[in-house]
Amino acid sequence: TMGGSLVLLPVIFMLYSEFGSTNLLVLTTSLDSFLTAERQTLLGWGMLAVFTVKIPLMPVHLWLPEAHVAAPTAGSVLL
């Protein structure tokens, strides 16, 4: 999950450098900046990689069973 976070950080920086904000309302309604197809592809794959790890999807869900074992009961319920 730390690796996913490290991929998310440059993706957020790219969005901020292009639009000047990370607010989703600004990102969806901004007509000032247009992302090129290459940058859209890079951001899309970056987001896919991040959320595949952060949301425990197959086959990169290997951290989840270890987290359940290590977490206290209340934390395991939240997982």
Side-chain angles (χ1 to χ4, degrees):
T1 189
M2 181 60 123
S5 298
L6 292 175
V7 173
L8 182 62
L9 194 59
V11 170
I12 291 174
F13 285 153
M14 285 178 65
L15 286 173
Y16 186 78
S17 71
E18 186 72 30
F19 294 99
S21 176
T22 55
N23 185 341
L24 287 178
L25 183 62
V26 172
L27 293 176
T28 56
T29 59
S30 177
L31 297 176
D32 298 337
S33 297
F34 179 74
L35 293 173
T36 63
E38 293 84 19
R39 188 163 278 206
Q40 287 178 14
T41 303
L42 182 64
L43 289 172
W45 281 109
M47 291 284 196
L48 179 68
V50 168
F51 293 125
T52 300
V53 173
K54 297 300 257 179
I55 302 169
L57 296 176
M58 287 288 285
V60 289
H61 71 293
L62 300 175
W63 63 269
L64 188 60
E66 295 172 12
H68 275 294
V69 171
T73 304
S76 186
V77 168
L78 292 175
L79 288 174

